């Protein structure tokens, strides 16, 4: 069964760049049935889709974050990554990576990692 | 503000049936895009509960069911149990935003 694990710094300073990696195990990231997505959840709030990537490198981003977000895929390492630039306190959230089915639903989720933006 | 509208909270007694609504528009649910539902237990990652309107993944109890009509969808939970207490989110695709969208979530309390 496919499993996902997020990894990242935990604490990021304002104006810096947040970088997270999601490692896929139990299957190949080149599976053409899936996209690979990032979703975040600010403390006590709801879910927000950030963006998704196909193994070919094709990306889709939510409009409100598009100018600051980059999602990439590394097929050799079976990983995909998220970068969010110029972060502020509003970017503090639990960040989840997830497997996205071609019909736009998220099959499986990583356990999530809390990223705090603070000096 | 979410493009998919859910009630902030619902409640029910054990054994009862509750429904959670998800209201969208002609650019998402009404455009024919599938509606999906997730259950998030306290302190855990969301779990897929219903996909493409009314389909249950393997292992999800048949007490959970989904439906869709026009620009709205609903999640029904029958035979309510204490362990159903959680946050529930609907999700679809929006053609105007050109992306996946979530409702703001509904907190289910089992009385």
């Amino acid at each position: 069964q496919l499993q996902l694990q997020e990894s990242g710094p935990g604490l990021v300073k304002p104006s810096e760049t947040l970088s997270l990696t999601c490692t896929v195990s139990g299957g190949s990231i080149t599976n053409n049935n899936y996209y690979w997505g990032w979703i975040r959840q600010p403390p006590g709030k709801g879910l927000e889709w950030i963006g998704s990537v196909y193994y070919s490198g094709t990306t889709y981003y939510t409009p409100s974050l598009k100018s600051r977000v980059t999602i990439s895929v590394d097929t050799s390492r079976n990983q995909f990554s998220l970068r969010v630039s110029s972060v502020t306190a509003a970017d503090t959230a639990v960040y989840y990576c997830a497997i996205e089915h071609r019909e736009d639903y998220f099959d499986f989720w990583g356990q999530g990692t809390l990223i705090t933006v603070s000096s | 503000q979410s493009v998919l509208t859910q009630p902030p909270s619902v409640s029910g007694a054990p054994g009862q049936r509750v429904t959670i609504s998800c209201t969208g528009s002609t650019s998402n649910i009404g455009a024919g895009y599938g509606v999906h539902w997730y259950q998030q237990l306290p302190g855990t990652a969301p779990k897929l509960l219903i996909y493409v309107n009314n389909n249950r993944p393997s292992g999800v109890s048949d007490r959970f069911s989904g439906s869709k009509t026009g620009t709205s969808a609903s999640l029904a939970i029958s035979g309510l149990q204490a362990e159903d207490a959680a946050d529930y989110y609907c999700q679809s695709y929006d053609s105007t935003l050109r992306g996946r969208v979530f409702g703001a979530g509904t907190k289910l309390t089992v009385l």
Side-chain angles (χ1 to χ4, degrees), chain A:
Chain A
Q1 182 175 333
L2 282 165
Q3 292 187 328
L4 306 172
Q5 178 65 59
E6 305 91 348
S7 57
L11 180 66
V12 182
K13 290 182 169 55
S15 80
E16 294 189 344
T17 296
L18 176 165
S19 295
L20 292 172
T21 296
C22 183
T23 301
V24 179
S25 58
S28 174
I29 203 167
T30 60
N31 187 319
N32 61 8
N33 290 313
Y34 298 124
Y35 293 85
W36 307 91
W38 288 99
I39 301 105
R40 70 180 183 180
Q41 184 172 35
K45 296 188 178 180
L47 302 168
E48 179 183 29
W49 173 70
I50 301 170
S52 300
V53 63
Y54 195 52
Y55 78 91
S56 63
T58 301
T59 52
Y60 307 88
Y61 301 126
T62 192
S64 62
L65 294 173
K66 187 174 183 177
S67 63
R68 297 195 294 126
V69 168
T70 302
I71 297 176
S72 59
V73 62
D74 185 338
T75 57
S76 66
R77 297 188 176 192
N78 231 32
Q79 295 176 333
F80 62 107
S81 299
L82 170 71
R83 290 171 57 87
V84 181
S85 63
S86 305
V87 298
T88 69
D91 294 307
T92 293
V94 175
Y95 285 75
Y96 296 100
C97 60
I99 300 168
E100 182 181 345
H101 192 275
R102 292 177 75 90
E103 292 194 77
D104 300 327
Y105 58 89
F106 299 95
D107 261 351
F108 300 102
W109 299 58
Q111 64 183 23
T113 186
L114 175 62
I115 300 297
T116 302
V117 179
S118 174
S119 55

Side-chain angles (χ1 to χ4, degrees), chain A residues 49 60-63 66, chain B residues 27 93-101:
Chain A
W49 173 70
Y60 307 88
Y61 301 126
T62 192
K66 187 174 183 177
Chain B
S27 64
Y93 179 88
D94 189 277
S95 58
T96 298
L97 296 175
R98 300 183 67 181
R100 297 71 167 149
V101 291

